[in-house]
Amino acid sequence: MANLTVINQTHYDCIVIGAGIEGSATCYQLTKKGVKTLLIEQFKLGHDRGSSHGQSRITRHAYLQKHYAMMMPECFKTWARLEQEVGTKLYRNVGLLSVNGPPYKDYNHRGGNLQDMNKPIELLTARQVCQRWPGFSFQPEMKAFVDPSGGVLYADRCLKALQLTRIKVCYWSEKQPGMFSNYPCFYFLSGKFEIYGLPTSAEYPGLFKVCNHRGQDFTDPEERRTDYTEDIDQLKEFIKEHVPGLVPEPAIIENCIYTSTPNEEIILDRHPDHPNIIVGCGFSGHGFKLAPVVGKILSELATGEKPSYAQLPLRLQIFQKPGATAKL
């Protein structure tokens, strides 16, 4: 019989599997509570095989879902506290421009949630948007508002501070260098387009990051394909029509992976058969913005505390048929 060497017999109260933004945020919250925690990651930190790599993400208070909007004030406070703790700038406030076509569902719900939360909001016509930021072009029937709190999270710094749909992340050159340097982040939803953008990207100075929120319906995370031309063609069409200040051919193309649920609601819940296992998954493109509060909720579930936020929309049972048993 072979001799077995026990390398480490350390006891941990909680084990977090996955050192992406959600796992790191959960570990951060657990250690803040004094819980002895082990964080496990199978790849090198900062790897590009998940959803947390890269250097920039949009953040804002304006959210379509009210329960997410209610989480955002604490997220902003946590990022600010982390900035103080690590002495590194994690957030750049440039504002968020939201543009929406008929029937204005996005405009009404996001704007309404901001107003319900007593957060600042600036309502603009499409003409006012194009006058203030001439690199954009929107039809008169479009409605718009600015969330002044919106901006850019420096993703790689945030991940270090805390420690599956594929979309194309594209970077576009300015026709006039420096034109977009003082532009806000933007989110555009109308008909066939659901596009977001970040000006003067941290990854590649002088380029504008513009991506399609709707990517391929399925991808194997182990398969690093590069031939998804449909997404790129749609982005080119959007750039030509609405951001004519950019060269309508991407300068750089990268992959990003979303893990999406059918209704784009994230899952924070206990395993149905093993209550000592807590599941956090299906972040559907919301993960980085909500990570501080997601980590808090997961840490509360792991330690038997009552979650700080209403958990009903975030439960596994919303995907179950009556009488069915959830399987992971």
Side-chain angles (χ1 to χ4, degrees):
M1 181 174 179
N3 292 325
L4 299 178
T5 301
V6 179
I7 298 175
N8 194 333
Q9 291 184 325
T10 302
H11 169 82
Y12 293 98
D13 300 307
C14 289
I15 297 175
V16 179
I17 301 176
I21 189 63
E22 313 301 345
S24 297
T26 303
C27 188
Y28 171 80
Q29 295 285 355
L30 285 167
T31 54
K32 284 284 185 182
K33 300 174 186 290
V35 177
K36 195 168 187 178
T37 305
L38 174 66
L39 180 62
I40 298 176
E41 172 57 55
Q42 64 174 319
F43 301 115
K44 181 180 178 181
L45 293 181
H47 65 85
D48 64 355
R49 304 177 73 87
S51 304
S52 298
H53 69 285
Q55 298 181 21
S56 61
R57 297 291 192 281
I58 285 180
T59 191
R60 77 264 179 163
H61 280 102
Y63 236 111
L64 184 64
Q65 299 96 328
K66 185 67 171 284
H67 49 281
Y68 292 151
M70 298 299 292
M71 296 178 184
M72 289 310 301
E74 184 170 353
C75 292
F76 274 89
K77 291 178 182 177
T78 302
W79 291 129
R81 184 172 68 246
L82 270 170
E83 282 190 331
Q84 296 296 317
E85 290 177 0
V86 301
T88 300
K89 186 174 179 61
L90 304 178
Y91 164 65
R92 178 185 169 208
N93 181 206
V94 297
L96 173 80
L97 171 67
S98 182
V99 182
N100 194 201
Y104 310 116
K105 176 183 176 182
D106 190 79
Y107 174 89
N108 293 330
H109 283 276
R110 290 179 192 264
N113 285 339
L114 278 178
Q115 292 171 328
D116 290 346
M117 295 164 63
N118 294 317
K119 296 297 180 183
I121 182 173
E122 182 183 5
L123 305 180
L124 298 173
T125 64
R127 181 179 179 182
Q128 289 172 322
V129 169
C130 297
Q131 286 176 337
R132 185 181 299 185
W133 300 291
F136 290 141
S137 177
F138 300 115
Q139 293 88 348
E141 70 270 17
M142 300 290 179
K143 290 187 177 182
F145 67 81
V146 172
D147 173 359
S149 69
V152 181
L153 287 171
Y154 297 120
D156 59 335
R157 301 180 193 177
C158 292
L159 188 57
K160 290 177 182 177
L162 290 169
Q163 332 244 4
L164 275 181
T165 296
R166 184 190 307 275
I167 66 169
K168 288 295 184 183
V169 179
C170 297
Y171 302 85
W172 312 76
S173 300
E174 301 166 316
K175 290 181 178 178
Q176 180 182 334
M179 180 179 186
F180 289 87
S181 60
N182 294 316
Y183 274 46
C185 299
F186 74 84
Y187 188 87
F188 180 88
L189 177 61
S190 181
K192 60 184 175 182
F193 294 125
E194 189 168 355
I195 308 288
Y196 65 91
L198 293 77
T200 312
S201 72
E203 298 96 321
Y204 306 108
L207 300 183
F208 202 122
K209 180 177 180 179
V210 181
C211 313
N212 191 341
H213 181 64
R214 303 290 178 186
Q216 298 294 314
D217 290 338
F218 174 80
T219 187
D220 182 345
E222 300 300 325
E223 183 183 354
R224 315 307 289 179
R225 288 180 58 187
T226 59
D227 59 345
Y228 295 127
T229 57
E230 183 179 343
D231 289 346
I232 305 301
D233 290 341
Q234 190 177 56
L235 284 169
K236 289 179 182 178
E237 183 181 352
F238 174 82
I239 294 294
K240 289 176 182 177
E241 185 175 348
H242 295 297
V243 199
L246 296 177
V247 176
E249 189 71 32
I252 297 174
I253 302 173
E254 296 179 344
N255 287 320
C256 183
I257 295 175
Y258 278 14
T259 305
S260 295
T261 57
N263 64 355
E264 294 196 355
E265 292 283 3
I266 64 178
I267 298 299
L268 309 176
D269 205 356
R270 294 185 181 279
H271 190 288
D273 300 320
H274 306 284
N276 62 320
I277 297 176
I278 310 301
V279 178
C281 65
F283 293 96
S284 307
H286 308 309
F288 231 98
K289 291 176 283 294
L290 295 168
V293 170
V294 166
K296 182 177 183 179
I297 294 173
L298 290 174
S299 73
E300 290 167 340
L301 289 171
T303 54
E305 300 175 65
K306 181 180 178 180
S308 299
Y309 294 82
Q311 205 191 349
L312 183 60
L314 314 178
R315 302 289 295 274
L316 278 165
Q317 67 189 40
I318 66 174
F319 298 111
Q320 288 181 247
K321 296 179 181 179
T325 301
K327 296 295 181 183
L328 297 180

